[in-house]
Amino acid sequence: GLVMITCDMSIQERKQAIKALFKGYRRMSRSMEKELESLGIQVERTKNHVKLYCDGRLYTAPSSASDWRSGANLASIICREM
């Protein structure tokens, strides 16, 4: 389900929300894009990838993931560097 994000959430809450969003990640939906943007993560789509800008860092996600772990892995990388 979607997680409602507020601007005054703690880093810990942001991390939990990011992990929840990427759980079982298969592709970047519009609703997921909006959720990420509300978390302060800018989303830019290219032909085969999704670029995520968070706190001045760039992360690249496949536009469609072949492996269910890739979303969880990406979420933990983003969270580790927050």
Side-chain angles (χ1 to χ4, degrees):
L2 294 176
V3 187
M4 280 315 293
I5 312 305
T6 58
C7 293
D8 55 359
M9 63 195 316
S10 69
I11 292 285
Q12 200 54 47
E13 288 169 318
R14 265 178 89 192
K15 288 180 178 183
Q16 285 175 333
I18 289 167
K19 285 184 176 161
L21 279 172
F22 278 102
K23 195 177 169 93
Y25 174 73
R26 282 277 176 232
R27 60 178 200 83
M28 182 63 64
S29 64
R30 282 274 170 235
S31 60
M32 184 174 178
E33 197 174 318
K34 285 190 173 72
E35 289 284 317
L36 287 169
E37 285 173 353
S38 68
L39 278 168
I41 298 174
Q42 190 185 345
V43 180
E44 183 189 312
R45 291 171 186 263
T46 64
K47 193 175 173 193
N48 299 315
H49 291 90
V50 179
K51 290 180 180 175
L52 306 172
Y53 297 93
C54 178
D55 300 333
R57 294 189 185 89
L58 169 65
Y59 305 92
T60 308
S63 47
S64 62
S66 54
D67 180 350
W68 65 270
R69 286 184 307 255
S70 60
N73 292 344
L74 179 64
S76 51
I77 292 167
I78 292 172
C79 291
R80 196 178 316 134
E81 295 183 0
M82 280 177 105

XYZ file of all heavy atoms in Angstrom:
649
model
N 0.823 -1.204 0.000
C 0.000 0.000 0.000
C 0.852 1.248 0.000
O 2.054 1.190 0.221
N 0.212 2.356 -0.253
C 0.929 3.620 -0.289
C 1.130 4.157 1.122
O 0.284 3.987 1.990
C 0.172 4.649 -1.126
C 0.090 4.316 -2.606
C -0.761 5.349 -3.322
C 1.475 4.274 -3.226
N 2.254 4.785 1.311
C 2.601 5.329 2.615
C 2.462 6.843 2.523
O 3.028 7.452 1.628
C 4.071 4.976 2.964
C 4.387 5.394 4.376
C 4.330 3.501 2.756
N 1.702 7.426 3.412
C 1.560 8.886 3.372
C 2.791 9.525 3.997
O 3.243 9.116 5.063
C 0.306 9.345 4.133
C -0.959 9.194 3.316
S -0.847 9.767 1.596
C -0.636 11.519 1.815
N 3.319 10.500 3.313
C 4.562 11.128 3.738
C 4.273 12.550 4.203
O 3.538 13.268 3.547
C 5.548 11.214 2.540
C 5.659 9.880 1.801
C 6.907 11.700 3.000
C 6.029 8.698 2.634
N 4.883 12.930 5.302
C 4.775 14.317 5.726
C 6.161 14.926 5.732
O 7.157 14.221 5.852
C 4.159 14.428 7.139
O 4.981 13.692 8.037
C 2.742 13.889 7.163
N 6.209 16.234 5.598
C 7.491 16.931 5.496
C 8.298 16.866 6.781
O 9.504 16.980 6.756
C 7.260 18.391 5.122
S 6.595 18.538 3.469
N 7.610 16.702 7.913
C 8.328 16.752 9.185
C 8.647 15.353 9.719
O 8.719 15.142 10.906
C 7.534 17.562 10.206
C 6.119 17.036 10.393
O 5.746 16.061 9.711
O 5.391 17.602 11.214
N 8.821 14.404 8.813
C 9.144 13.061 9.282
C 10.643 12.927 9.537
O 11.444 13.632 8.958
C 8.628 12.002 8.307
C 9.231 12.042 6.935
S 8.305 11.089 5.704
C 7.932 9.585 6.533
N 10.981 12.016 10.438
C 12.383 11.803 10.781
C 13.087 11.022 9.673
O 12.435 10.442 8.803
C 12.477 11.022 12.089
O 12.025 9.695 11.866
N 14.412 10.994 9.717
C 15.201 10.203 8.777
C 14.754 8.744 8.845
O 14.580 8.092 7.818
C 16.712 10.296 9.107
C 17.240 11.717 8.839
C 17.524 9.283 8.318
C 17.424 12.065 7.384
N 14.535 8.253 10.057
C 14.132 6.861 10.242
C 12.806 6.580 9.530
O 12.653 5.558 8.867
C 14.024 6.559 11.745
C 14.080 5.074 12.077
C 15.310 4.373 11.487
O 16.422 4.872 11.602
N 15.106 3.253 10.844
N 11.873 7.511 9.667
C 10.568 7.351 9.008
C 10.710 7.411 7.487
O 10.055 6.670 6.774
C 9.591 8.427 9.488
C 9.122 8.217 10.916
C 8.370 9.419 11.474
O 8.800 10.568 11.238
O 7.359 9.200 12.141
N 11.568 8.298 7.019
C 11.817 8.383 5.570
C 12.384 7.065 5.060
O 11.975 6.569 4.015
C 12.821 9.509 5.266
C 12.185 10.828 4.908
C 13.245 11.878 4.674
N 13.685 11.922 3.291
C 14.764 12.600 2.862
N 15.496 13.264 3.717
N 15.093 12.589 1.608
N 13.343 6.516 5.799
C 13.969 5.248 5.408
C 12.938 4.132 5.339
O 12.919 3.355 4.381
C 15.080 4.868 6.386
C 16.313 5.738 6.260
C 17.375 5.302 7.251
C 18.633 6.151 7.095
N 19.703 5.721 7.989
N 12.066 4.058 6.343
C 11.034 3.014 6.359
C 10.096 3.174 5.166
O 9.709 2.194 4.542
C 10.239 3.069 7.664
C 11.020 2.507 8.836
C 10.285 2.670 10.163
O 9.470 3.578 10.326
N 10.583 1.798 11.101
N 9.745 4.421 4.856
C 8.845 4.681 3.733
C 9.502 4.288 2.409
O 8.864 3.684 1.547
C 8.447 6.156 3.715
N 10.790 4.610 2.251
C 11.519 4.262 1.024
C 11.582 2.744 0.871
O 11.310 2.206 -0.201
C 12.943 4.877 1.034
C 12.848 6.398 0.860
C 13.817 4.270 -0.068
C 14.125 7.141 1.149
N 11.911 2.055 1.965
C 11.984 0.589 1.902
C 10.634 -0.014 1.556
O 10.552 -0.955 0.767
C 12.521 0.022 3.217
C 14.018 0.246 3.329
C 14.608 -0.378 4.576
C 16.122 -0.199 4.550
N 16.738 -0.347 5.857
N 9.565 0.549 2.129
C 8.214 0.044 1.852
C 7.864 0.241 0.377
O 7.267 -0.637 -0.247
C 7.198 0.747 2.744
N 8.254 1.394 -0.181
C 7.952 1.683 -1.587
C 8.665 0.717 -2.529
O 8.119 0.327 -3.556
C 8.356 3.117 -1.944
C 7.381 4.211 -1.543
C 8.009 5.571 -1.775
C 6.088 4.086 -2.318
N 9.906 0.363 -2.198
C 10.691 -0.480 -3.100
C 10.514 -1.974 -2.849
O 11.098 -2.792 -3.535
C 12.177 -0.123 -3.013
C 12.528 1.078 -3.849
C 12.713 2.315 -3.263
C 12.662 0.964 -5.225
C 13.024 3.423 -4.039
C 12.971 2.064 -6.007
C 13.154 3.295 -5.406
N 9.701 -2.326 -1.868
C 9.472 -3.738 -1.572
C 8.794 -4.394 -2.782
O 7.745 -3.947 -3.226
C 8.589 -3.845 -0.332
C 8.560 -5.220 0.279
C 7.700 -5.186 1.544
C 7.420 -6.577 2.030
N 8.374 -7.055 3.019
N 9.433 -5.415 -3.315
C 8.881 -6.104 -4.481
C 8.852 -5.247 -5.738
O 8.011 -5.434 -6.605
N 9.777 -4.283 -5.820
C 9.819 -3.353 -6.962
C 9.888 -4.075 -8.295
O 10.718 -4.953 -8.496
C 11.039 -2.435 -6.810
C 11.292 -1.523 -7.998
C 10.466 -0.431 -8.227
C 12.336 -1.758 -8.878
C 10.679 0.412 -9.305
C 12.565 -0.916 -9.962
C 11.724 0.169 -10.168
O 11.956 0.995 -11.234
N 8.994 -3.729 -9.203
C 9.019 -4.275 -10.562
C 9.189 -3.168 -11.594
O 9.942 -3.295 -12.539
C 7.730 -5.052 -10.857
C 7.720 -6.427 -10.235
C 8.471 -7.416 -11.112
N 8.555 -8.730 -10.502
C 9.681 -9.403 -10.341
N 10.840 -8.887 -10.690
N 9.671 -10.601 -9.811
N 8.439 -2.084 -11.404
C 8.576 -0.960 -12.323
C 8.143 0.315 -11.615
O 7.463 0.254 -10.592
C 7.747 -1.170 -13.587
C 6.283 -1.334 -13.343
C 5.448 -1.489 -14.607
N 4.066 -1.166 -14.281
C 3.560 0.044 -14.240
N 4.306 1.099 -14.509
N 2.303 0.257 -13.931
N 8.539 1.433 -12.169
C 8.224 2.724 -11.564
C 6.843 3.180 -12.033
O 6.671 3.524 -13.194
C 9.292 3.747 -11.984
C 9.114 5.126 -11.391
S 9.239 5.214 -9.594
C 10.934 4.722 -9.334
N 5.886 3.135 -11.135
C 4.542 3.608 -11.470
C 4.462 5.103 -11.177
O 5.299 5.654 -10.453
C 3.505 2.862 -10.645
O 3.683 3.168 -9.278
N 3.444 5.753 -11.732
C 3.239 7.187 -11.476
C 3.026 7.441 -9.985
O 3.530 8.410 -9.437
C 2.016 7.696 -12.251
C 2.299 7.931 -13.714
C 2.864 9.327 -13.933
N 3.364 9.469 -15.286
C 4.589 9.853 -15.611
N 5.470 10.112 -14.664
N 4.960 9.971 -16.855
N 2.246 6.554 -9.349
C 1.970 6.772 -7.921
C 3.243 6.620 -7.096
O 3.479 7.373 -6.153
C 0.881 5.828 -7.426
O 1.263 4.493 -7.603
N 4.095 5.666 -7.488
C 5.354 5.475 -6.775
C 6.257 6.696 -6.977
O 6.924 7.154 -6.050
C 6.059 4.215 -7.274
C 7.311 3.900 -6.507
S 7.979 2.314 -7.040
C 9.447 2.249 -6.036
N 6.231 7.232 -8.194
C 7.016 8.427 -8.513
C 6.585 9.590 -7.608
O 7.426 10.284 -7.031
C 6.778 8.776 -9.986
C 7.794 9.712 -10.575
C 7.587 9.915 -12.070
O 7.316 8.946 -12.804
O 7.697 11.079 -12.500
N 5.279 9.776 -7.464
C 4.760 10.858 -6.614
C 5.151 10.638 -5.153
O 5.496 11.585 -4.448
C 3.239 10.944 -6.742
C 2.781 11.577 -8.040
C 1.282 11.858 -7.999
C 0.831 12.658 -9.213
N 0.819 11.877 -10.443
N 5.068 9.390 -4.699
C 5.452 9.073 -3.312
C 6.927 9.414 -3.081
O 7.281 10.008 -2.067
C 5.235 7.586 -3.027
C 3.791 7.188 -2.936
C 3.153 7.623 -1.623
O 3.787 7.470 -0.578
O 2.027 8.133 -1.674
N 7.790 9.022 -4.032
C 9.221 9.298 -3.900
C 9.469 10.804 -3.874
O 10.279 11.295 -3.089
C 10.003 8.639 -5.041
C 10.136 7.123 -4.932
C 10.672 6.544 -6.232
C 11.026 6.728 -3.773
N 8.759 11.538 -4.742
C 8.944 12.986 -4.785
C 8.504 13.622 -3.474
O 9.119 14.573 -3.011
C 8.236 13.582 -6.000
C 9.040 13.283 -7.260
C 8.362 13.667 -8.571
O 7.179 14.063 -8.543
O 9.031 13.547 -9.610
N 7.463 13.079 -2.854
C 7.025 13.630 -1.574
C 8.044 13.317 -0.472
O 8.056 13.965 0.565
C 5.642 13.100 -1.200
O 5.696 11.729 -0.912
N 8.907 12.326 -0.722
C 9.986 11.993 0.225
C 11.242 12.804 -0.055
O 12.271 12.592 0.563
C 10.349 10.509 0.085
C 9.473 9.519 0.816
C 9.773 8.111 0.363
C 9.658 9.641 2.305
N 11.170 13.675 -1.054
C 12.330 14.495 -1.383
C 13.262 13.826 -2.370
O 14.419 14.208 -2.505
N 12.765 12.812 -3.076
C 13.572 12.134 -4.080
C 13.035 12.509 -5.453
O 11.871 12.261 -5.764
C 13.534 10.604 -3.891
C 14.139 10.248 -2.527
C 14.291 9.901 -5.026
C 14.034 8.790 -2.165
N 13.884 13.149 -6.250
C 13.476 13.578 -7.577
C 13.617 12.410 -8.548
O 14.625 11.706 -8.538
C 14.371 14.746 -8.009
C 13.918 15.449 -9.248
C 14.922 16.515 -9.674
O 15.794 16.913 -8.908
N 14.800 16.948 -10.910
N 12.610 12.203 -9.373
C 12.594 11.069 -10.297
C 12.705 11.570 -11.724
O 11.993 12.479 -12.135
C 11.284 10.254 -10.135
C 11.255 9.071 -11.091
C 11.113 9.782 -8.701
N 13.621 10.981 -12.480
C 13.787 11.328 -13.892
C 13.793 10.031 -14.696
O 14.592 9.138 -14.425
C 15.106 12.082 -14.076
C 15.363 12.556 -15.498
C 16.784 13.096 -15.651
O 17.208 13.903 -14.795
O 17.455 12.684 -16.602
N 12.898 9.934 -15.659
C 12.819 8.708 -16.460
C 13.667 8.824 -17.723
O 13.627 9.837 -18.405
C 11.378 8.445 -16.897
C 10.451 8.058 -15.768
C 9.024 8.052 -16.276
N 8.081 7.822 -15.182
C 7.568 6.628 -14.903
N 7.875 5.590 -15.636
N 6.733 6.488 -13.902
N 14.423 7.767 -18.027
C 15.100 7.670 -19.311
C 14.494 6.450 -19.994
O 13.574 5.833 -19.450
C 16.628 7.505 -19.151
O 16.876 6.269 -18.487
C 17.237 8.649 -18.357
N 15.006 6.080 -21.152
C 14.393 4.985 -21.895
C 14.365 3.673 -21.101
O 13.336 3.013 -21.013
C 15.130 4.785 -23.222
C 14.376 3.903 -24.186
C 15.075 3.839 -25.528
C 14.403 2.822 -26.438
N 15.227 2.531 -27.606
N 15.490 3.289 -20.524
C 15.567 1.998 -19.835
C 15.752 2.083 -18.331
O 15.770 1.069 -17.656
C 16.726 1.172 -20.405
C 16.529 0.883 -21.875
O 15.440 0.513 -22.286
N 17.567 1.082 -22.655
N 15.948 3.287 -17.821
C 16.228 3.430 -16.400
C 15.412 4.545 -15.776
O 14.821 5.353 -16.471
C 17.720 3.702 -16.165
C 18.577 2.530 -16.480
N 19.100 2.310 -17.725
C 18.984 1.490 -15.717
C 19.795 1.187 -17.716
N 19.735 0.663 -16.508
N 15.431 4.561 -14.473
C 14.844 5.651 -13.706
C 15.981 6.211 -12.875
O 16.663 5.467 -12.169
C 13.716 5.125 -12.785
C 13.141 6.268 -11.971
C 12.633 4.449 -13.594
N 16.208 7.524 -12.993
C 17.254 8.158 -12.198
C 16.604 8.786 -10.985
O 15.601 9.490 -11.105
C 17.980 9.228 -13.017
C 18.826 8.638 -14.121
C 19.527 9.721 -14.901
C 20.375 9.114 -16.004
N 20.973 10.167 -16.840
N 17.168 8.509 -9.827
C 16.645 9.044 -8.577
C 17.692 9.961 -7.969
O 18.843 9.561 -7.781
C 16.348 7.897 -7.601
C 15.426 6.794 -8.131
C 15.380 5.639 -7.154
C 14.035 7.336 -8.383
N 17.306 11.197 -7.677
C 18.211 12.150 -7.054
C 17.753 12.353 -5.622
O 16.626 12.782 -5.389
C 18.189 13.486 -7.792
C 18.666 13.383 -9.222
C 17.760 13.174 -10.263
C 20.022 13.487 -9.534
C 18.199 13.065 -11.575
C 20.469 13.386 -10.842
C 19.546 13.180 -11.867
O 19.984 13.075 -13.159
N 18.621 12.006 -4.673
C 18.282 12.140 -3.261
C 19.432 12.808 -2.532
O 20.551 12.296 -2.549
C 18.003 10.757 -2.664
S 17.620 10.793 -0.929
N 19.149 13.929 -1.906
C 20.168 14.664 -1.133
C 21.450 14.876 -1.943
O 22.555 14.661 -1.446
C 20.490 13.930 0.177
C 19.250 13.777 1.068
O 18.341 14.625 0.938
O 19.189 12.838 1.860
N 21.296 15.247 -3.203
C 22.445 15.541 -4.045
C 23.146 14.321 -4.618
O 24.159 14.441 -5.291
N 22.621 13.124 -4.360
C 23.232 11.917 -4.913
C 22.340 11.331 -5.989
O 21.127 11.463 -5.933
C 23.437 10.865 -3.817
C 24.431 11.268 -2.765
C 24.723 10.082 -1.855
N 25.592 10.463 -0.759
C 25.156 10.931 0.401
N 23.872 11.082 0.616
N 25.999 11.243 1.351
N 22.956 10.648 -6.948
C 22.212 10.016 -8.030
C 22.195 8.506 -7.845
O 23.222 7.891 -7.570
C 22.877 10.358 -9.377
C 22.396 9.568 -10.599
C 20.944 9.846 -10.921
C 23.272 9.877 -11.798
N 21.010 7.917 -7.979
C 20.844 6.461 -7.950
C 20.117 6.069 -9.217
O 19.242 6.790 -9.676
C 20.020 6.021 -6.732
C 20.584 6.518 -5.437
C 20.161 7.725 -4.893
C 21.570 5.806 -4.762
C 20.695 8.205 -3.709
C 22.109 6.281 -3.573
C 21.666 7.471 -3.057
O 22.197 7.946 -1.894
N 20.486 4.947 -9.786
C 19.832 4.497 -11.008
C 19.109 3.193 -10.737
O 19.685 2.263 -10.175
C 20.866 4.295 -12.136
O 21.637 5.482 -12.250
C 20.182 4.045 -13.461
N 17.855 3.150 -11.154
C 17.056 1.936 -11.019
C 16.640 1.485 -12.415
O 16.412 2.329 -13.286
C 15.816 2.206 -10.183
N 16.543 0.181 -12.657
C 16.031 -0.258 -13.949
C 14.565 0.136 -14.056
O 13.856 0.149 -13.042
C 16.194 -1.777 -13.905
C 16.236 -2.116 -12.460
C 16.827 -0.923 -11.757
N 14.093 0.483 -15.261
C 12.689 0.863 -15.365
C 11.787 -0.347 -15.148
O 10.655 -0.218 -14.726
C 12.393 1.548 -16.695
O 12.958 0.832 -17.744
N 12.301 -1.539 -15.434
C 11.570 -2.743 -15.022
C 12.594 -3.714 -14.447
O 13.590 -4.026 -15.083
C 10.837 -3.378 -16.196
O 11.753 -3.783 -17.175
N 12.341 -4.148 -13.225
C 13.306 -5.003 -12.535
C 13.015 -6.465 -12.826
O 11.878 -6.909 -12.753
C 13.229 -4.735 -11.039
N 14.053 -7.207 -13.148
C 13.892 -8.633 -13.424
C 13.950 -9.438 -12.135
O 13.524 -10.572 -12.072
C 15.001 -9.096 -14.365
O 16.248 -8.739 -13.821
N 14.497 -8.804 -11.119
C 14.785 -9.503 -9.883
C 14.124 -8.766 -8.716
O 14.341 -7.579 -8.540
C 16.313 -9.518 -9.718
C 16.789 -10.216 -8.472
O 15.943 -10.547 -7.612
O 18.000 -10.406 -8.357
N 13.323 -9.451 -7.932
C 12.596 -8.808 -6.832
C 13.530 -8.185 -5.806
O 13.156 -7.254 -5.113
C 11.656 -9.802 -6.141
C 12.373 -10.922 -5.447
C 12.708 -12.124 -5.993
C 12.853 -10.951 -4.103
N 13.365 -12.899 -5.079
C 13.466 -12.215 -3.902
C 12.824 -10.048 -3.046
C 14.053 -12.580 -2.693
C 13.417 -10.421 -1.835
C 14.014 -11.663 -1.675
N 14.775 -8.666 -5.714
C 15.705 -8.112 -4.722
C 16.252 -6.758 -5.122
O 16.725 -6.012 -4.276
C 16.890 -9.074 -4.516
C 16.541 -10.306 -3.708
C 17.788 -11.130 -3.487
N 18.456 -11.406 -4.749
C 18.440 -12.571 -5.368
N 17.787 -13.581 -4.849
N 19.079 -12.749 -6.501
N 16.224 -6.430 -6.412
C 16.880 -5.189 -6.843
C 16.274 -3.952 -6.190
O 16.995 -3.033 -5.841
C 16.876 -5.067 -8.368
O 15.559 -5.063 -8.849
N 14.955 -3.930 -6.011
C 14.324 -2.784 -5.353
C 14.745 -2.672 -3.906
O 15.078 -1.585 -3.422
N 14.757 -3.804 -3.208
C 15.158 -3.813 -1.799
C 16.614 -3.380 -1.665
O 16.971 -2.628 -0.762
C 14.957 -5.202 -1.206
N 17.464 -3.852 -2.577
C 18.884 -3.489 -2.550
C 19.062 -1.990 -2.762
O 19.832 -1.343 -2.062
C 19.667 -4.265 -3.608
C 19.742 -5.742 -3.312
O 19.485 -6.180 -2.196
N 20.064 -6.540 -4.310
N 18.341 -1.450 -3.756
C 18.436 -0.022 -4.039
C 17.971 0.793 -2.833
O 18.618 1.756 -2.432
C 17.598 0.338 -5.275
C 17.595 1.817 -5.657
C 19.000 2.273 -6.049
C 16.637 2.046 -6.802
N 16.858 0.382 -2.222
C 16.331 1.079 -1.050
C 17.357 1.086 0.076
O 17.566 2.112 0.727
C 15.042 0.429 -0.585
N 18.029 -0.050 0.287
C 18.989 -0.074 1.393
C 20.213 0.771 1.087
O 20.781 1.383 1.992
C 19.364 -1.496 1.799
O 19.744 -2.253 0.701
N 20.606 0.872 -0.177
C 21.730 1.761 -0.548
C 21.347 3.212 -0.287
O 22.099 3.976 0.309
C 22.132 1.549 -2.028
C 22.759 0.162 -2.209
C 23.119 2.633 -2.476
C 22.895 -0.258 -3.654
N 20.149 3.613 -0.749
C 19.685 4.992 -0.545
C 19.639 5.295 0.959
O 20.140 6.311 1.418
C 18.303 5.222 -1.176
C 18.402 5.143 -2.715
C 17.733 6.591 -0.764
C 17.069 5.171 -3.444
N 19.075 4.373 1.728
C 18.925 4.598 3.168
C 20.269 4.653 3.885
O 20.446 5.436 4.804
C 18.048 3.502 3.777
S 16.335 3.619 3.252
N 21.216 3.821 3.450
C 22.531 3.796 4.079
C 23.223 5.156 3.928
O 23.971 5.571 4.789
C 23.377 2.690 3.442
C 24.606 2.308 4.249
C 25.380 1.173 3.615
N 24.500 0.111 3.148
C 24.612 -0.463 1.946
N 25.526 -0.089 1.081
N 23.781 -1.440 1.600
N 22.968 5.818 2.794
C 23.680 7.064 2.517
C 22.923 8.306 2.970
O 23.394 9.411 2.767
C 23.989 7.133 1.018
C 24.968 6.030 0.614
C 25.362 6.079 -0.845
O 24.883 6.968 -1.574
O 26.148 5.225 -1.254
N 21.746 8.133 3.574
C 20.959 9.297 4.010
C 21.550 9.911 5.272
O 22.080 9.235 6.097
C 19.524 8.880 4.295
C 18.700 8.762 3.052
S 17.050 8.184 3.469
C 16.165 9.700 3.294
